[in-house]
Amino acid sequence: MFTSVLMIEKPLTSVDVEFVTTLHGDEGVSFIVLMQPRGDQADVLLRAIDDVAMGELKEAAHEGGEPEGKAARVPAEQALEHSLQALRDAGCEAVGQVVEDHPLTKMKSVVEESEADEVIVLTAPHYVEEFFHRDWASRARHKVGVPVLKLFAHSEQDAS
């Protein structure tokens, strides 16, 4: 069985589930999902700049309205449960947790403890962070000791 550590920041869509569950063909996949609450580690200004770069001015104006800290915990737990169930419904083994510590430290320990084969970072585009190689995938490549694949998440609007 192939083991993937999957880092997400929002619930998986059906397109995301199909994408990650078919990456390895017919080989069975076990997922360890790490849900990163959006407000905890991401900078509001960088997210707003990304929104402007993508032409999403309304989203940029609402970045300050994202739940942060403890307020982000409940939506993150719900997103995690939804995502785990979707992976299980697709025939995969899936466990997970909401990240409370520094995400890269947690990712590294999970990779080591589970002897994972890879890390998949499924995220929305973060152009500013990517340009400076400060996005999670770029930083993880230097820390976790297994291949790191960066994929762009789909929104439900993209899926229709």
Side-chain angles (χ1 to χ4, degrees):
M1 172 118 2
F2 200 86
T3 302
S4 295
V5 174
L6 176 61
M7 183 176 203
I8 61 174
E9 57 189 9
K10 64 180 189 171
L12 295 175
T13 66
S14 58
V15 175
D16 294 331
V17 171
E18 182 178 354
F19 197 32
V20 299
T21 59
T22 59
L23 283 172
H24 300 289
D26 293 333
E27 186 171 358
V29 181
S30 172
F31 289 96
I32 302 168
V33 181
L34 300 178
M35 176 68 199
Q36 173 60 51
R38 187 169 177 189
D40 283 359
Q41 296 292 329
D43 183 278
V44 173
L45 177 60
L46 291 178
R47 290 194 316 252
I49 292 170
D50 283 339
D51 289 338
V52 170
M54 294 174 61
E56 298 172 351
L57 298 177
K58 285 185 180 181
E59 287 80 359
H62 291 60
E63 283 296 343
E66 287 288 326
E68 297 194 21
K70 291 182 182 183
R73 176 76 188 193
V74 171
E77 288 172 350
Q78 292 170 342
L80 175 62
E81 285 307 313
H82 165 84
S83 299
L84 292 174
Q85 190 59 53
L87 290 167
R88 291 176 189 137
D89 290 347
C92 297
E93 293 180 13
V95 296
Q97 59 187 286
V98 174
V99 176
E100 294 186 37
D101 303 324
H102 191 279
L104 295 177
T105 303
K106 178 52 118 178
M107 186 187 297
K108 181 177 177 158
S109 68
V110 167
V111 166
E112 290 171 353
E113 290 167 15
S114 66
E115 298 180 355
D117 298 294
E118 70 181 356
V119 169
I120 300 171
V121 177
L122 188 68
T123 182
H126 299 293
Y127 298 113
V128 175
E129 292 175 357
E130 290 168 24
F131 181 78
F132 292 107
H133 302 287
R134 300 299 303 153
D135 59 295
W136 296 124
S138 295
R139 292 166 44 193
R141 286 186 180 107
H142 302 288
K143 187 160 184 134
V144 298
V146 297
V148 176
L149 179 61
K150 179 180 183 174
L151 302 174
F152 290 120
H154 294 82
S155 68
E156 288 297 343
Q157 294 169 340
D158 294 340
S160 29

